Amino acid sequence: MRRFVLISVLLVLAACSNDQSSQQTSSESAPTSAAPAANVDGARIVAANAEPGNWMTYGRTYGEDHYSPLDQITTENAKQLGLAWHFDIPDARGLEVTPIVVDGVMYTTGNYNVLYALDAKTGEELWSYDPQVRRDWGRYSCCGTINRGPAVWKGKVYEGTLDGRLIAVDAKTGKLVWETQTTDPKKALSITGAPRIIKDKVLIGAGGAEFGVRGYISAYDAETGKQIWRFYTVPGDPSKGFENKAMEMAAKTWTGDRWWKTGGGGTVWDSMSYDPDLNLLYFGTGNGSEWARELRSPKGGDNLFLTSIVAVDADTGKYVWHFQEVPADQWDYDACQQMVLADLVIDGKQRKVLMQAAKDGYFYILDRTNGQFISATPFVKTNWNNGIDPKTGRPDVSKTALYGSKEASVVWPGPLGAHDWQSMSFDPRSGLVYFSAQDQGFAYSFDPNWKHKEMQWNLAQSPDAKTPPEAAQITYRGYLYAWDPIAGKPVWTVDYDDMWNGGVLATAGNIVAQGTADGRFIVYRSDNGQKLWETPAQTAVMAGPISYLADGEQYIAVAAGWGGSVPLLGGGMTPVHSGNNRILVYKLGGTAKLPPMPPAPAIPNQPPVNAPPEMIAKGGALYDRYCSNCHGIGVISGGMIPDLRHMRHEVHQSFVNIVLNGTRMRKGMAAFGDILDEKDAEAIHAYIISVAHETEN
Ligand code: CA
């Protein structure tokens, strides 16, 4: 036993030879040991580099570098990687989760927020907990029934649920300790982000700006679930007074009265970082509700704090500074991408910076002590501004981007973003940042007569606007960048045919790991981008990988599964199979095998088209509005939800009942009887049958 401990200590020491610390313990290599489960506190996370065998918080460190100091897997031996184990997640709706690993146990989430504790060495399930998320809540959430994972603290595992609860579960037993509703269930708010925990406070926001809600982030007592503070990101009804000085300031940047009636937006749906020395919590805020400023704030204004990075005191939630990337955002440029905190030498000066590869196509560097702008460099095709003020960081928004109601404008990037929630990794040895990026444009327009509809999509885009010819030239491409933040350019780039590739992990073994939309998991050399190894994942990989030690051996784990926002739009964008949602775990010399791919199901014959053209046209408009967000644009499913062109006879028979009355609620199909009637459902049915015949091959 002593020999075992000694060997594991040596391995850990070898693994972090770049680290000066000598506080390593053997605890990270002892699966299911006598150590208390998930016994993580702030001191351990602050000193995360001293125990590189664990991955104790979403970005591994409070600065969210998403980098592993482990170096057993190297450029030389990466070709010996193989599957160590896999864990099947019994749903097919995609995985965006970053698992947590503490002392030999992996904590992860699946769809509908089912939590799992797994032996990190073998993948054996220790317990699972199903919080019974409302299966129809996907209707009130923009981007599927996904989530980005749990957090751990002092023996408990935490997660935010799609239907707005924050829950705490005993890390040893998987039993519920407490749960708190963090949202108003009468609003289309949903949690998809992973909580972060600072000084016994669990931080969580919620999404929903596409529906029309008021954004906020809150802190809850980790022990009891009691709310400690809440910071709203847009002001409420001015006649009721403002919650704080920051809201009073923000209110001066809004006009009219629609924003507070409809919510305004600015949701805090993903990224957070924390600087323990400054005690500042940073978070990104989302787009406005509706997308067009003319509707939500008709006489102009910057609309604070939409599409901003905001810093607050972590103890009190009190405003400290903000930087608005996109004043009056009209393009869904949520500034919610991960923010990496690092210390960089810029123009000869050591700066404490915050870095973000933003959805708007720019790589931002800010001084995180005060929010001062340092630089913004485009990393994909952009046309929404004519330039960014080098002193203030304020963009000069281009005329092209200011879309109207009669004619659409093609703007790059579009609402799918140049980079989204996919984690990026900062390698402190080289100073390079690795992230997934993509080129895509979108034809924006707005409906001047849009009436806000509670609990429904409120993008207020106009389907009747004229589409300009350049819309036909919109293309999609994906990239992996090794980005030099100081030079403001990539050191190397990998081109992908598909967009929406996975998050990235860099390690001290001089490797970078990333999964792809076309269903591969790949390891590159971090200094030059040379491909060292790849393996089929049997489905697309969107999530970011992690690395950890179990019994002194280095593992790389990633959640595989296609689903969520872009995949749901479908359109045949990706050729990979879905339905194989798994945690995939690799190690040197791993010999496990994935089961063979299941055969593609037979496509049943579809009934004949016998509806009149006007009924089919009506059904098409209704489909676009109410169905396409999940079942795919043009009735081409992304694969994680049934492709309606292939319905079986009995589904055709009960189509109207399923749509109006929610008879398949347990499978995630919501009831739409509150907004559609029988004739509407029949028209949608007729449209789907006609598309099934058009696309038959
Ligand atoms: Ca958004």
Side-chain angles (χ1 to χ4, degrees):
M1 186 65 197
R2 180 171 299 170
R3 188 161 167 267
F4 160 71
V5 171
L6 180 66
I7 289 169
S8 58
V9 169
L10 286 174
L11 284 167
V12 171
L13 284 172
C16 49
S17 51
N18 294 312
D19 197 293
Q20 299 306 306
S21 169
S22 59
Q23 300 166 37
Q24 293 82 12
T25 69
S26 61
S27 63
E28 62 258 36
S29 58
T32 58
S33 70
N39 190 24
V40 168
D41 59 14
R44 272 184 90 177
I45 300 178
V46 168
N49 287 341
E51 43 175 321
N54 288 325
W55 194 284
M56 296 181 286
T57 183
Y58 184 81
R60 193 185 69 86
T61 58
Y62 274 139
E64 303 262 329
D65 57 29
H66 222 98
Y67 164 83
S68 173
L70 297 175
D71 63 0
Q72 292 178 12
I73 301 167
T74 66
T75 51
E76 282 72 37
N77 62 21
K79 59 180 175 299
Q80 296 161 24
L81 280 165
L83 191 67
W85 55 265
H86 65 90
F87 181 80
D88 290 9
I89 304 277
D91 201 300
R93 287 159 196 271
L95 294 175
E96 297 183 358
V97 56
T98 294
I100 300 291
V101 175
V102 186
D103 303 334
V105 180
M106 176 182 289
Y107 303 93
T108 188
T109 48
N111 295 108
Y112 296 112
N113 300 101
V114 178
L115 266 173
Y116 301 92
L118 310 174
D119 184 317
K121 187 181 173 181
T122 64
E124 184 202 344
E125 183 177 317
L126 305 175
W127 55 256
S128 68
Y129 175 75
D130 183 349
Q132 298 296 329
V133 165
R134 262 182 71 172
R135 285 336 193 228
D136 66 335
W137 201 256
R139 179 182 155 186
Y140 308 108
S141 158
C142 76
C143 304
T145 61
I146 49 73
N147 69 87
R148 293 182 202 91
V152 296
W153 190 263
K154 296 184 180 174
K156 295 187 190 70
V157 187
Y158 300 83
E159 68 166 343
T161 65
L162 195 71
D163 50 11
R165 289 169 286 156
L166 185 64
I167 67 171
V169 165
D170 184 295
K172 193 83 193 168
T173 63
K175 296 267 184 312
L176 182 72
V177 180
W178 56 255
E179 68 171 21
T180 302
Q181 185 71 37
T182 73
T183 58
D184 177 351
K186 292 194 179 66
K187 298 278 179 191
L189 283 154
S190 50
I191 301 176
T192 58
R196 312 299 201 274
I197 307 181
I198 299 166
K199 297 200 266 187
D200 298 312
K201 294 177 191 70
V202 188
L203 288 315
I204 195 72
E210 269 59 48
F211 291 76
V213 296
R214 186 184 183 197
Y216 57 84
I217 179 172
S218 328
Y220 294 87
D221 185 313
E223 196 54 37
T224 64
K226 194 168 161 268
Q227 188 182 313
I228 297 170
W229 58 254
R230 174 166 288 181
F231 181 90
Y232 284 100
T233 57
V234 298
D237 179 356
S239 73
K240 291 186 177 154
F242 298 110
E243 287 88 355
N244 51 48
K245 284 240 159 17
M247 286 299 98
E248 206 178 313
M249 169 175 82
K252 296 191 175 95
T253 66
W254 292 82
T255 53
D257 59 4
R258 182 153 163 157
W259 96 82
W260 57 263
K261 289 178 178 159
T262 60
T267 49
V268 184
W269 57 264
D270 199 47
S271 66
M272 293 176 230
S273 297
Y274 173 60
D275 183 324
D277 297 329
L278 300 165
N279 197 35
L280 291 182
L281 167 71
Y282 310 97
F283 53 87
T285 69
N287 58 280
S289 308
E290 295 85 0
W291 279 1
R293 179 176 64 176
E294 191 151 329
L295 294 172
R296 64 174 191 258
S297 183
K299 292 203 172 111
D302 284 352
N303 298 175
L304 290 173
F305 298 103
L306 299 183
T307 314
S308 302
I309 292 171
V310 182
V312 299
D313 181 294
D315 297 336
T316 61
K318 203 174 160 212
Y319 168 89
V320 178
W321 61 255
H322 77 277
F323 176 80
Q324 190 175 39
E325 290 176 355
V326 187
D329 175 17
Q330 314 205 54
W331 307 277
D332 189 18
Y333 284 162
D334 322 72
C336 297
Q337 296 64 57
Q338 185 194 343
M339 298 165 293
V340 172
L341 310 185
D343 294 350
L344 298 181
V345 178
I346 298 174
D347 295 332
K349 264 196 271 177
Q350 180 90 9
R351 303 286 296 265
K352 284 178 182 292
V353 306
L354 176 155
M355 297 185 278
Q356 183 187 62
K359 209 174 156 186
D360 70 17
Y362 282 75
F363 191 95
Y364 288 89
I365 306 182
L366 307 178
D367 182 326
R368 72 174 180 274
T369 66
N370 56 16
Q372 198 189 11
F373 174 76
I374 295 176
S375 66
T377 314
F379 56 86
V380 291
K381 177 174 176 175
T382 65
N383 71 351
W384 64 273
N385 69 64
N386 303 313
I388 290 188
D389 187 305
K391 272 215 160 57
T392 63
R394 190 180 175 89
D396 173 17
V397 172
S398 63
K399 280 215 171 71
T400 326
L402 294 172
Y403 54 88
S405 56
K406 294 198 171 67
E407 190 162 352
S409 299
V410 174
V411 183
W412 298 72
L416 308 178
H419 168 232
D420 207 341
W421 54 267
Q422 286 86 346
S423 55
M424 72 178 192
S425 183
F426 172 70
D427 184 338
R429 303 165 314 143
S430 62
L432 297 181
V433 183
Y434 302 90
F435 63 96
S436 173
Q438 58 209 13
D439 261 320
Q440 41 81 44
F442 184 76
Y444 294 85
S445 60
F446 77 93
D447 177 354
N449 303 313
W450 185 262
K451 298 262 181 303
H452 178 81
K453 298 172 177 69
E454 200 64 27
M455 297 289 274
Q456 293 188 39
W457 283 75
N458 282 291
L459 306 183
Q461 296 288 294
S462 170
D464 303 326
K466 209 174 123 210
T467 310
E470 62 263 36
Q473 269 114 52
I474 292 174
T475 50
Y476 304 89
R477 284 203 71 76
Y479 312 99
L480 167 62
Y481 285 128
W483 185 263
D484 179 340
I486 295 171
K489 59 181 186 193
V491 172
W492 53 262
T493 304
V494 176
D495 280 285
Y496 294 119
D497 289 336
D498 289 301
M499 56 182 272
W500 214 247
N501 297 293
V504 187
L505 167 76
T507 80
N510 197 28
I511 60 166
V512 167
Q514 184 196 28
T516 61
D518 62 9
R520 296 175 292 157
F521 188 65
I522 309 177
V523 172
Y524 301 96
R525 229 185 119 104
S526 60
D527 52 2
N528 65 12
Q530 182 199 343
K531 193 201 288 181
L532 299 169
W533 177 75
E534 79 166 58
T535 188
Q538 293 195 352
T539 180
V541 181
M542 312 180 294
I546 64 163
S547 192
Y548 62 89
L549 293 178
D551 264 355
E553 201 170 3
Q554 184 180 358
Y555 292 75
I556 294 177
V558 72
W562 186 237
S565 57
V566 170
L568 280 172
L569 297 174
M573 201 191 82
T574 181
V576 297
H577 299 265
S578 62
N580 294 317
N581 278 9
R582 292 185 174 115
I583 306 296
L584 299 172
V585 182
Y586 304 97
K587 67 170 187 172
L588 296 174
T591 54
K593 294 251 177 313
L594 291 176
M597 292 286 286
I603 297 175
N605 288 331
Q606 297 299 303
V609 181
N610 52 20
E614 57 276 13
M615 182 175 173
I616 292 172
K618 175 190 169 186
L622 290 169
Y623 177 91
D624 287 347
R625 175 147 170 67
Y626 297 111
C627 318
S628 64
N629 294 310
C630 290
H631 287 281
I633 292 169
V635 204
I636 303 172
S637 165
M640 70 297 306
I641 280 187
D643 193 309
L644 299 177
R645 297 170 304 162
H646 307 157
M647 282 189 282
R648 285 173 290 113
H649 177 69
E650 55 272 30
V651 179
H652 282 293
Q653 295 291 30
S654 48
F655 185 90
V656 171
N657 203 17
I658 292 169
V659 171
L660 300 185
N661 302 323
T663 52
R664 298 202 166 196
M665 192 98 81
R666 288 299 302 169
K667 292 185 166 180
M669 175 61 197
F672 285 82
D674 56 330
I675 42 179
L676 298 174
D677 62 22
E678 208 172 306
K679 283 211 152 43
D680 295 334
E682 279 165 359
I684 293 169
H685 192 198
Y687 168 70
I688 291 168
I689 292 168
S690 95
V691 174
H693 285 281
E694 275 166 29
T695 58
E696 212 168 30
N697 51 29

